[in-house]
Amino acid sequence: MDLRSIVDRDISLTERALEKAAIAVPQRSHLRRVAEDFIGMARAYYEDARHFRDRGELDKALANVNYAHGWLDAGARLG
């Protein structure tokens, strides 16, 4: 599998994960802002990954999509 295919696959996977992601923390919890920040960071890295892919900078795209998914994984582990 070439790098472009890996980047495309990972971006697609992260896009689906972002569509499914929901904040489970109650609105009045002090962790609500943390959860919102995690989702915001994941979306920002996802958008950066798409930007770099479109520019042909596949190494940067792969790094950013992995950061995006890392934020989602970390958020899921925190609940």
Side-chain angles (χ1 to χ4, degrees):
M1 186 177 277
D2 67 332
L3 184 55
R4 178 67 180 216
S5 297
I6 293 169
V7 168
D8 288 342
R9 180 197 65 200
D10 288 358
I11 286 176
S12 178
L13 175 69
T14 303
E15 182 177 14
R16 289 192 309 272
L18 281 167
E19 289 170 358
K20 292 179 182 181
I23 295 176
V25 179
Q27 187 71 33
R28 298 181 73 174
S29 170
H30 69 282
L31 292 176
R32 181 68 182 208
R33 291 181 71 156
V34 173
E36 290 169 349
D37 188 44
F38 274 46
I39 290 283
M41 292 298 292
R43 288 187 199 286
Y45 277 113
Y46 164 77
E47 291 299 330
D48 287 348
R50 291 181 56 205
H51 167 79
F52 286 122
R53 180 193 58 189
D54 294 346
R55 291 178 47 117
E57 298 180 62
L58 300 179
D59 54 340
K60 291 179 183 178
L62 185 61
N64 277 272
V65 76
N66 282 312
Y67 275 116
H69 219 89
W71 278 101
L72 291 173
D73 287 343
R77 287 180 179 263
L78 287 173

